[in-house]
Amino acid sequence: MTNTPRVPTTRLGGPTGPEIGVQGLGCMGMSFAYGPTDAGEARATLERALELGVTLYDTADAYANGENEEFLAPFVAAHRDEITLATKFALTIDPEDSTRRIIRNDPAHIRACADDSLRRLGVDVIDLYYMHRRDVNVPIEETVGVMAELVAAGKVKQLGLSEVTGPELRAAHAVHPIAAVQSEWSLFSRDIEAGVVPAVAETGATLVAYSPLGRGFLTGSFTSAEKDLTEGDFRRQQPRFTGDNAQHNTTLLDPVREVARARGVTLGQVALAWVQQRARVHGVSVVPIPGTSRRTRVEENAAAAHLLLSADELALLEPIAGQVRGGRYADMAFTSAGRE
């Protein structure tokens, strides 16, 4: 094992929230979306992450229809008092079309999902419970009102929202404090900076950045999803990783490589350090949750929490997002950017 120091800490949702590492772990890929994984190595990765001070573990009921939650259950049971456990409701996969997502925010569904997640995870309470995506046909105030009932019932400790707009966050926060907002944020994806991030700063929520490594693209680990990734890999459906878009976007990694070479670090560490420094730029608490199922990667990622980029390096990286071709998803309607 490497001698990577433990990651620093922050408070989830403000000064009275639980102390967590400034970097979390996205667990989706351990059993869903990114092709085959080694279950034994994935479990070892969970343990190694905790040794490095990574304490926020992120899953969802939509990840392999609950199998990801079940996969985490033994680890959660062994370390319940050491970790902050986050899961989500609202997003399901159409059983007749794996590329189609169904979003439900109705009260009965929320209550049933919470009970199902508690059972699969083997816990009495969920530390952080997210609305995974917003059903625009249900008022956000109604959705959060039901979530607040779960807090009152002792089933949930803190509430989170994923892919919401600034106005949606403010409306939700007026009903019940929102501890965390989860959105994609990376060198390739900066649309949330216009409206979402200022609202996060106003409310005091923590910004949990998912896909901070551009789903692996920013590490240079693949150049074309169609050519380099296995059948069934979720990224083969994303426009920016396929066709001419992928070919163009690969060239945008050149400044990242330049910084990485000069610092003697990896491309992924530069990308993660950039996300971590958004906390200073925007005055918000930022906790990226890079996903991995390998110990070497979690060590590499954790080390990035100690990398401080210079003003010149940040300036070199600044233009990248504006040159990216292709959307984050084929259908952006269920993202905050699709409703801004």
CSV table of all heavy atoms in Angstrom, one decimal, residues 95-130:
chain,number,residue,atom,x,y,z
A,95,PRO,N,-38.1,-1.5,-17.5
A,95,PRO,CA,-37.8,-3.0,-17.7
A,95,PRO,C,-37.8,-3.4,-19.2
A,95,PRO,O,-37.2,-4.4,-19.5
A,95,PRO,CB,-38.8,-3.7,-16.9
A,95,PRO,CG,-39.9,-2.7,-16.7
A,95,PRO,CD,-39.3,-1.4,-16.7
A,96,GLU,N,-38.5,-2.6,-20.0
A,96,GLU,CA,-38.6,-3.0,-21.4
A,96,GLU,C,-37.6,-2.3,-22.3
A,96,GLU,O,-37.5,-2.6,-23.5
A,96,GLU,CB,-40.1,-2.7,-21.9
A,96,GLU,CG,-41.1,-3.6,-21.2
A,96,GLU,CD,-42.5,-3.3,-21.7
A,96,GLU,OE1,-42.7,-2.5,-22.6
A,96,GLU,OE2,-43.4,-4.0,-21.2
A,97,ASP,N,-37.0,-1.3,-21.7
A,97,ASP,CA,-36.0,-0.5,-22.5
A,97,ASP,C,-34.9,0.0,-21.6
A,97,ASP,O,-35.1,1.0,-20.8
A,97,ASP,CB,-36.7,0.7,-23.2
A,97,ASP,CG,-35.7,1.5,-24.1
A,97,ASP,OD1,-34.5,1.2,-24.1
A,97,ASP,OD2,-36.2,2.5,-24.7
A,98,SER,N,-33.8,-0.6,-21.5
A,98,SER,CA,-32.7,-0.3,-20.6
A,98,SER,C,-32.1,1.1,-20.7
A,98,SER,O,-31.4,1.6,-19.9
A,98,SER,CB,-31.6,-1.3,-20.6
A,98,SER,OG,-31.0,-1.3,-21.9
A,99,THR,N,-32.4,1.7,-21.9
A,99,THR,CA,-31.9,3.1,-22.1
A,99,THR,C,-32.8,4.2,-21.6
A,99,THR,O,-32.5,5.3,-21.7
A,99,THR,CB,-31.6,3.3,-23.6
A,99,THR,OG1,-32.8,3.3,-24.3
A,99,THR,CG2,-30.7,2.3,-24.2
A,100,ARG,N,-34.0,3.8,-21.2
A,100,ARG,CA,-35.1,4.7,-20.8
A,100,ARG,C,-35.2,4.8,-19.3
A,100,ARG,O,-35.2,3.8,-18.6
A,100,ARG,CB,-36.4,4.3,-21.4
A,100,ARG,CG,-37.5,5.3,-21.1
A,100,ARG,CD,-38.8,5.0,-21.9
A,100,ARG,NE,-39.9,5.9,-21.6
A,100,ARG,CZ,-40.8,5.6,-20.6
A,100,ARG,NH1,-40.8,4.4,-20.0
A,100,ARG,NH2,-41.8,6.4,-20.4
A,101,ARG,N,-35.2,6.0,-18.8
A,101,ARG,CA,-35.4,6.2,-17.3
A,101,ARG,C,-36.8,6.7,-17.0
A,101,ARG,O,-37.4,7.4,-17.7
A,101,ARG,CB,-34.4,7.2,-16.8
A,101,ARG,CG,-32.9,6.9,-17.2
A,101,ARG,CD,-32.4,5.7,-16.5
A,101,ARG,NE,-31.0,5.4,-16.7
A,101,ARG,CZ,-30.5,4.6,-17.6
A,101,ARG,NH1,-31.3,4.0,-18.4
A,101,ARG,NH2,-29.2,4.4,-17.7
A,102,ILE,N,-37.3,6.2,-15.9
A,102,ILE,CA,-38.6,6.6,-15.4
A,102,ILE,C,-38.3,7.3,-14.0
A,102,ILE,O,-37.6,6.8,-13.2
A,102,ILE,CB,-39.5,5.4,-15.1
A,102,ILE,CG1,-39.7,4.6,-16.4
A,102,ILE,CG2,-40.8,5.8,-14.5
A,102,ILE,CD1,-40.4,3.3,-16.2
A,103,ILE,N,-39.0,8.5,-13.9
A,103,ILE,CA,-38.8,9.3,-12.7
A,103,ILE,C,-40.1,9.4,-11.9
A,103,ILE,O,-41.1,9.7,-12.5
A,103,ILE,CB,-38.3,10.7,-13.1
A,103,ILE,CG1,-37.0,10.7,-13.8
A,103,ILE,CG2,-38.1,11.6,-11.8
A,103,ILE,CD1,-36.5,12.0,-14.4
A,104,ARG,N,-40.0,9.1,-10.6
A,104,ARG,CA,-41.2,9.2,-9.8
A,104,ARG,C,-40.9,9.9,-8.5
A,104,ARG,O,-39.9,9.5,-7.8
A,104,ARG,CB,-41.8,7.8,-9.5
A,104,ARG,CG,-42.4,7.1,-10.7
A,104,ARG,CD,-43.0,5.7,-10.2
A,104,ARG,NE,-44.0,5.9,-9.2
A,104,ARG,CZ,-44.6,4.8,-8.6
A,104,ARG,NH1,-44.3,3.6,-9.0
A,104,ARG,NH2,-45.6,5.0,-7.7
A,105,ASN,N,-41.7,10.9,-8.2
A,105,ASN,CA,-41.5,11.7,-7.0
A,105,ASN,C,-42.8,11.6,-6.1
A,105,ASN,O,-42.9,12.4,-5.2
A,105,ASN,CB,-41.2,13.2,-7.2
A,105,ASN,CG,-39.8,13.4,-7.8
A,105,ASN,OD1,-39.5,14.5,-8.2
A,105,ASN,ND2,-39.0,12.4,-7.8
A,106,ASP,N,-43.8,10.8,-6.5
A,106,ASP,CA,-45.0,10.7,-5.7
A,106,ASP,C,-44.8,10.2,-4.3
A,106,ASP,O,-43.9,9.4,-4.1
A,106,ASP,CB,-46.1,9.9,-6.5
A,106,ASP,CG,-45.6,8.5,-6.8
A,106,ASP,OD1,-44.8,8.4,-7.7
A,106,ASP,OD2,-46.0,7.6,-6.1
A,107,PRO,N,-45.6,10.7,-3.3
A,107,PRO,CA,-45.4,10.3,-1.9
A,107,PRO,C,-45.3,8.8,-1.6
A,107,PRO,O,-44.4,8.4,-0.9
A,107,PRO,CB,-46.5,11.0,-1.2
A,107,PRO,CG,-46.9,12.1,-2.1
A,107,PRO,CD,-46.6,11.7,-3.5
A,108,ALA,N,-46.2,8.0,-2.2
A,108,ALA,CA,-46.2,6.6,-1.9
A,108,ALA,C,-44.9,6.0,-2.4
A,108,ALA,O,-44.3,5.1,-1.7
A,108,ALA,CB,-47.4,6.0,-2.6
A,109,HIS,N,-44.4,6.4,-3.5
A,109,HIS,CA,-43.2,5.8,-4.1
A,109,HIS,C,-42.0,6.2,-3.2
A,109,HIS,O,-41.1,5.3,-2.9
A,109,HIS,CB,-43.0,6.4,-5.5
A,109,HIS,CG,-41.8,5.8,-6.2
A,109,HIS,ND1,-41.7,4.5,-6.6
A,109,HIS,CD2,-40.6,6.3,-6.6
A,109,HIS,CE1,-40.6,4.2,-7.2
A,109,HIS,NE2,-39.9,5.3,-7.2
A,110,ILE,N,-41.9,7.4,-2.7
A,110,ILE,CA,-40.8,7.9,-1.9
A,110,ILE,C,-40.8,7.0,-0.6
A,110,ILE,O,-39.7,6.5,-0.2
A,110,ILE,CB,-41.0,9.4,-1.5
A,110,ILE,CG1,-40.8,10.2,-2.8
A,110,ILE,CG2,-39.9,9.8,-0.5
A,110,ILE,CD1,-41.2,11.7,-2.6
A,111,ARG,N,-41.9,6.9,0.0
A,111,ARG,CA,-42.0,6.1,1.3
A,111,ARG,C,-41.6,4.7,1.1
A,111,ARG,O,-40.8,4.1,1.9
A,111,ARG,CB,-43.4,6.2,1.9
A,111,ARG,CG,-43.8,7.6,2.3
A,111,ARG,CD,-45.1,7.7,2.9
A,111,ARG,NE,-45.6,9.0,3.2
A,111,ARG,CZ,-46.5,9.7,2.5
A,111,ARG,NH1,-47.2,9.0,1.6
A,111,ARG,NH2,-46.8,10.9,2.8
A,112,ALA,N,-42.0,4.1,0.0
A,112,ALA,CA,-41.7,2.7,-0.3
A,112,ALA,C,-40.2,2.5,-0.6
A,112,ALA,O,-39.6,1.5,-0.2
A,112,ALA,CB,-42.6,2.2,-1.5
A,113,CYS,N,-39.7,3.5,-1.4
A,113,CYS,CA,-38.3,3.4,-1.7
A,113,CYS,C,-37.4,3.5,-0.5
A,113,CYS,O,-36.4,2.8,-0.4
A,113,CYS,CB,-37.9,4.5,-2.7
A,113,CYS,SG,-38.5,4.3,-4.4
A,114,ALA,N,-37.7,4.4,0.4
A,114,ALA,CA,-36.9,4.5,1.6
A,114,ALA,C,-36.9,3.2,2.4
A,114,ALA,O,-35.9,2.8,2.9
A,114,ALA,CB,-37.5,5.7,2.5
A,115,ASP,N,-38.1,2.6,2.6
A,115,ASP,CA,-38.1,1.3,3.3
A,115,ASP,C,-37.3,0.2,2.6
A,115,ASP,O,-36.6,-0.6,3.3
A,115,ASP,CB,-39.6,0.9,3.5
A,115,ASP,CG,-40.3,1.8,4.5
A,115,ASP,OD1,-39.7,2.4,5.3
A,115,ASP,OD2,-41.6,1.8,4.4
A,116,ASP,N,-37.4,0.2,1.3
A,116,ASP,CA,-36.7,-0.8,0.5
A,116,ASP,C,-35.2,-0.6,0.7
A,116,ASP,O,-34.4,-1.6,0.8
A,116,ASP,CB,-37.1,-0.8,-0.9
A,116,ASP,CG,-38.5,-1.4,-1.2
A,116,ASP,OD1,-39.0,-2.0,-0.3
A,116,ASP,OD2,-39.0,-1.1,-2.2
A,117,SER,N,-34.7,0.7,0.6
A,117,SER,CA,-33.3,0.9,0.8
A,117,SER,C,-32.8,0.6,2.2
A,117,SER,O,-31.7,0.0,2.3
A,117,SER,CB,-33.0,2.4,0.4
A,117,SER,OG,-33.1,2.6,-1.0
A,118,LEU,N,-33.6,0.9,3.2
A,118,LEU,CA,-33.2,0.6,4.5
A,118,LEU,C,-33.0,-1.0,4.7
A,118,LEU,O,-32.0,-1.4,5.3
A,118,LEU,CB,-34.3,1.0,5.5
A,118,LEU,CG,-34.3,2.5,5.8
A,118,LEU,CD1,-35.6,2.9,6.5
A,118,LEU,CD2,-33.2,3.0,6.6
A,119,ARG,N,-33.9,-1.7,4.1
A,119,ARG,CA,-33.8,-3.2,4.1
A,119,ARG,C,-32.6,-3.7,3.4
A,119,ARG,O,-31.9,-4.5,3.9
A,119,ARG,CB,-35.1,-3.8,3.6
A,119,ARG,CG,-35.1,-5.3,3.4
A,119,ARG,CD,-36.4,-5.8,2.8
A,119,ARG,NE,-36.7,-5.1,1.6
A,119,ARG,CZ,-36.2,-5.4,0.4
A,119,ARG,NH1,-35.2,-6.3,0.3
A,119,ARG,NH2,-36.6,-4.8,-0.7
A,120,ARG,N,-32.4,-3.2,2.2
A,120,ARG,CA,-31.3,-3.7,1.4
A,120,ARG,C,-29.9,-3.4,2.0
A,120,ARG,O,-29.0,-4.1,2.0
A,120,ARG,CB,-31.3,-3.2,-0.1
A,120,ARG,CG,-32.4,-3.8,-0.9
A,120,ARG,CD,-32.3,-3.4,-2.4
A,120,ARG,NE,-32.6,-2.0,-2.6
A,120,ARG,CZ,-33.7,-1.5,-3.0
A,120,ARG,NH1,-34.7,-2.4,-3.3
A,120,ARG,NH2,-33.9,-0.3,-3.2
A,121,LEU,N,-29.8,-2.2,2.6
A,121,LEU,CA,-28.6,-1.7,3.2
A,121,LEU,C,-28.4,-2.3,4.6
A,121,LEU,O,-27.3,-2.2,5.1
A,121,LEU,CB,-28.6,-0.2,3.3
A,121,LEU,CG,-28.4,0.5,1.9
A,121,LEU,CD1,-28.8,2.0,2.0
A,121,LEU,CD2,-27.0,0.4,1.4
A,122,GLY,N,-29.5,-2.8,5.2
A,122,GLY,CA,-29.4,-3.4,6.5
A,122,GLY,C,-29.1,-2.4,7.6
A,122,GLY,O,-28.4,-2.7,8.6
A,123,VAL,N,-29.8,-1.2,7.5
A,123,VAL,CA,-29.6,-0.2,8.5
A,123,VAL,C,-30.9,0.3,9.0
A,123,VAL,O,-32.0,0.1,8.4
A,123,VAL,CB,-28.8,1.0,7.9
A,123,VAL,CG1,-27.4,0.6,7.4
A,123,VAL,CG2,-29.6,1.6,6.7
A,124,ASP,N,-30.9,1.0,10.1
A,124,ASP,CA,-32.1,1.6,10.7
A,124,ASP,C,-32.4,3.0,10.2
A,124,ASP,O,-33.5,3.5,10.3
A,124,ASP,CB,-32.0,1.6,12.2
A,124,ASP,CG,-31.9,0.2,12.8
A,124,ASP,OD1,-32.6,-0.7,12.3
A,124,ASP,OD2,-31.2,0.0,13.8
A,125,VAL,N,-31.3,3.7,9.7
A,125,VAL,CA,-31.5,5.0,9.3
A,125,VAL,C,-30.5,5.3,8.2
A,125,VAL,O,-29.3,4.8,8.1
A,125,VAL,CB,-31.2,6.0,10.5
A,125,VAL,CG1,-29.8,5.9,11.0
A,125,VAL,CG2,-31.5,7.5,10.0
A,126,ILE,N,-30.9,6.1,7.2
A,126,ILE,CA,-30.0,6.5,6.1
A,126,ILE,C,-29.5,7.9,6.4
A,126,ILE,O,-30.2,8.8,6.8
A,126,ILE,CB,-30.9,6.6,4.8
A,126,ILE,CG1,-31.4,5.3,4.4
A,126,ILE,CG2,-30.0,7.2,3.6
A,126,ILE,CD1,-32.5,5.3,3.3
A,127,ASP,N,-28.2,8.1,6.4
A,127,ASP,CA,-27.5,9.3,6.8
A,127,ASP,C,-27.9,10.5,5.8
A,127,ASP,O,-28.1,11.6,6.3
A,127,ASP,CB,-26.0,9.1,6.8
A,127,ASP,CG,-25.6,8.1,7.8
A,127,ASP,OD1,-26.2,8.0,8.9
A,127,ASP,OD2,-24.6,7.3,7.5
A,128,LEU,N,-27.9,10.2,4.5
A,128,LEU,CA,-28.2,11.3,3.6
A,128,LEU,C,-29.0,10.7,2.5
A,128,LEU,O,-28.6,9.8,1.8
A,128,LEU,CB,-26.9,11.8,3.0
A,128,LEU,CG,-27.0,12.9,1.8
A,128,LEU,CD1,-27.7,14.1,2.3
A,128,LEU,CD2,-25.6,13.2,1.3
A,129,TYR,N,-30.3,11.2,2.3
A,129,TYR,CA,-31.2,10.6,1.4
A,129,TYR,C,-31.5,11.7,0.3
A,129,TYR,O,-32.0,12.7,0.6
A,129,TYR,CB,-32.5,10.2,2.1
A,129,TYR,CG,-33.4,9.2,1.3
A,129,TYR,CD1,-32.8,8.2,0.6
A,129,TYR,CD2,-34.7,9.3,1.3
A,129,TYR,CE1,-33.5,7.2,0.0
A,129,TYR,CE2,-35.5,8.4,0.7
A,129,TYR,CZ,-34.9,7.4,0.0
A,129,TYR,OH,-35.7,6.4,-0.7
A,130,TYR,N,-31.2,11.3,-0.9
A,130,TYR,CA,-31.4,12.2,-2.1
A,130,TYR,C,-32.6,11.9,-2.9
A,130,TYR,O,-33.0,10.7,-3.1
A,130,TYR,CB,-30.2,12.0,-3.1
A,130,TYR,CG,-28.9,12.5,-2.7
A,130,TYR,CD1,-27.9,11.7,-2.2
A,130,TYR,CD2,-28.5,13.9,-2.9
A,130,TYR,CE1,-26.6,12.1,-2.0
A,130,TYR,CE2,-27.3,14.3,-2.6
A,130,TYR,CZ,-26.3,13.5,-2.2
A,130,TYR,OH,-25.0,13.9,-1.9
